[in-house]
Amino acid sequence: MTDIHRRRLLLSALCAPLAMASAPVLASTLTKDKPGSREMDMPNDAVHWVGDEKIAMLVYPQMTLLDLIGPHSMLASMMGAQIDLVAPSLEPVVSDSGVTITPTATFEDCPKDLTVLFAPGGTTSTLATAQDPKTLAFMADRGARAKYVTSVCSGSLILGAAGLLEGYKATSHWSCIDALKGFGAIPTNERVVKDRNRMTGAGVTSGLDFGLTMVAELRSVFYAQCTQLVGQYDPHPPFHAGSLQTAPPQVKHDMVKLLSDFTAKANALSENYSTQ
């Protein structure tokens, strides 16, 4: 059994008395048992427990690992959903933290019609990916038909470069949110921003909030709350330095300086897009 199936089974075990081993079998238990057996005792029979969403999550070298794994952990709670980690090839991809991710589908193999198209962020690698013709062609093609087009952190730069954010409110990491203007987007400084079928998350850890918001959108608030409880997502950060508004002045000064080169290059990327 894969880790994804284990995670789905864990959620189902805690949310409902379903002692089956896979999502397809779980789906069959949501109706009455065969004659002579008892009816399945669901805790909330109005909940959309099992679905068939098709989700494609872009992966690329040196992407920020938590940008991908945070949303993936939440989305993988949706029993029945198909999640593909998509790249140009099936060669292993090494993230910025050194953790290796193995793609499950290529651009060619990825389903044509998606429920969710997602892009994670990073720094230099994201800027390179946002200028890769093959990646942009894939994102533009799937994004044109996807029910939801989404990102976390600087992954919104990839959406913007693919022409998927023009006229939409969107957010990004604080270091590059202003660059969204050059892509025709409307920078919006919130943790998760939804504008019609575009949903974007701010920096890194906001991917958890994004993931839960997406689960609520696709299934229900109740399902998202179950996912949140199973994950025990109840953050109490040890420091109040998670935003430009709350970080101590010296911390803000040093980190803005550290990321200034990336900020300048992100702005240059969007300016180049706006002049094309």
Side-chain angles (χ1 to χ4, degrees):
M1 185 186 296
T2 67
D3 287 341
I4 290 174
H5 286 158
R6 286 193 186 95
R7 202 172 293 121
R8 290 175 184 158
L9 185 57
L10 172 61
L11 179 65
S12 68
L14 293 173
C15 293
L18 305 177
M20 303 298 175
S22 66
V25 176
L26 285 168
S28 68
T29 68
L30 299 186
T31 59
K32 291 185 177 181
D33 293 343
K34 293 179 180 179
S37 62
R38 69 179 182 84
E39 185 176 344
M40 182 59 66
D41 184 22
M42 295 295 293
N44 188 336
D45 58 12
V47 175
H48 179 196
W49 289 108
V50 178
D52 59 358
E53 297 90 348
K54 291 181 172 57
I55 301 170
M57 306 185 81
L58 179 70
V59 296
Y60 55 91
Q62 297 302 305
M63 65 184 175
T64 297
L65 182 64
L66 190 54
D67 286 0
L68 175 75
I69 295 302
H72 185 282
S73 296
M74 299 303 174
L75 295 173
S77 75
M78 297 191 301
M79 294 179 282
Q82 172 189 330
I83 303 178
D84 282 312
L85 304 178
V86 186
S89 74
L90 297 181
E91 292 297 315
V93 173
V94 181
S95 69
D96 63 346
S97 62
V99 174
T100 299
I101 302 294
T102 303
T104 61
T106 66
F107 289 165
E108 290 75 19
D109 297 334
C110 178
K112 303 295 183 183
D113 297 299
L114 296 168
T115 309
V116 179
L117 176 67
F118 173 83
T123 52
T124 302
S125 62
T126 304
L127 298 176
T129 301
Q131 298 174 78
D132 175 62
K134 191 172 184 178
T135 300
L136 293 182
F138 166 78
M139 296 297 289
D141 177 74
R142 298 308 194 272
R145 295 186 302 279
K147 185 175 181 180
Y148 295 96
V149 176
T150 69
S151 66
V152 162
C153 199
S154 58
S156 55
L157 299 180
I158 298 173
L159 299 187
L164 296 171
L165 290 182
E166 293 188 27
Y168 290 90
K169 293 179 181 179
T171 192
S172 194
H173 190 274
W174 57 260
S175 64
C176 60
I177 188 170
D178 288 342
L180 296 178
K181 296 176 184 176
F183 299 117
I186 304 166
T188 305
N189 190 21
E190 296 178 10
R191 197 155 172 84
V192 178
V193 174
K194 181 178 183 294
D195 185 355
R196 289 158 284 176
N197 74 330
R198 269 39 171 187
M199 190 181 294
T200 52
V204 193
T205 59
S206 66
L208 294 168
D209 299 60
F210 160 84
L212 284 173
T213 305
M214 196 78 253
V215 171
E217 182 80 12
L218 294 170
R219 296 292 175 88
S220 69
V221 169
F222 184 85
Y223 200 117
Q225 290 171 332
C226 291
T227 300
Q228 182 178 4
L229 179 57
V230 171
Q232 201 168 344
Y233 179 43
D234 183 26
H236 296 278
F239 311 108
H240 296 290
S243 73
L244 292 178
Q245 291 71 39
T246 62
Q250 190 62 50
V251 171
K252 176 180 175 179
H253 174 272
D254 288 359
M255 292 304 97
V256 169
K257 183 178 180 180
L258 178 69
L259 291 173
S260 61
D261 183 60
F262 170 69
T263 299
K265 289 178 178 177
N267 288 333
L269 174 69
S270 69
E271 289 169 5
N272 181 61
Y273 175 89
S274 64
T275 60
Q276 291 179 357

